[in-house]
Amino acid sequence: MTQTHDLDATGLLCPLPVLKARKRLSALASGDVLRVVTDDPAAVVDVPHFCTEAGHALEDSAEDGPRMIWHIRKR
């Protein structure tokens, strides 16, 4: 069964949101989804790049005011 987990990375600057997402994903089961909330403008480039390099699926992303919400499915 797929589970969704949350990571609030607001207030963190590059590269911390990606580093925390990497650590959190390493503890999840394959197929689980990590919902990451960021407010670092660099995350717009960093998160998709991280997903591509690590082989995770970026399910979607959405703006919520100054924040971005990412859904990453672990490979």
Side-chain angles (χ1 to χ4, degrees):
M1 177 176 209
T2 300
Q3 294 187 25
T4 300
H5 304 267
D6 290 308
L7 172 64
D8 183 358
T10 55
L12 301 178
L13 299 176
C14 177
L16 290 176
V18 166
L19 293 176
K20 289 197 174 281
R22 175 182 288 137
K23 183 176 181 179
R24 189 68 179 275
L25 283 162
S26 71
L28 301 183
S30 181
D32 281 359
V33 174
L34 180 63
R35 178 183 177 268
V36 182
V37 180
T38 63
D39 61 356
D40 178 13
V44 174
V45 173
D46 293 344
V47 172
H49 178 74
F50 161 69
C51 291
T52 299
E53 292 298 312
H56 301 302
L58 180 57
E59 297 282 309
D60 64 35
S61 61
E63 288 185 42
D64 180 24
R67 303 179 316 155
M68 287 291 296
I69 300 172
W70 310 89
H71 288 90
I72 304 168
R73 182 172 305 278
K74 182 177 178 176
R75 60 177 162 101

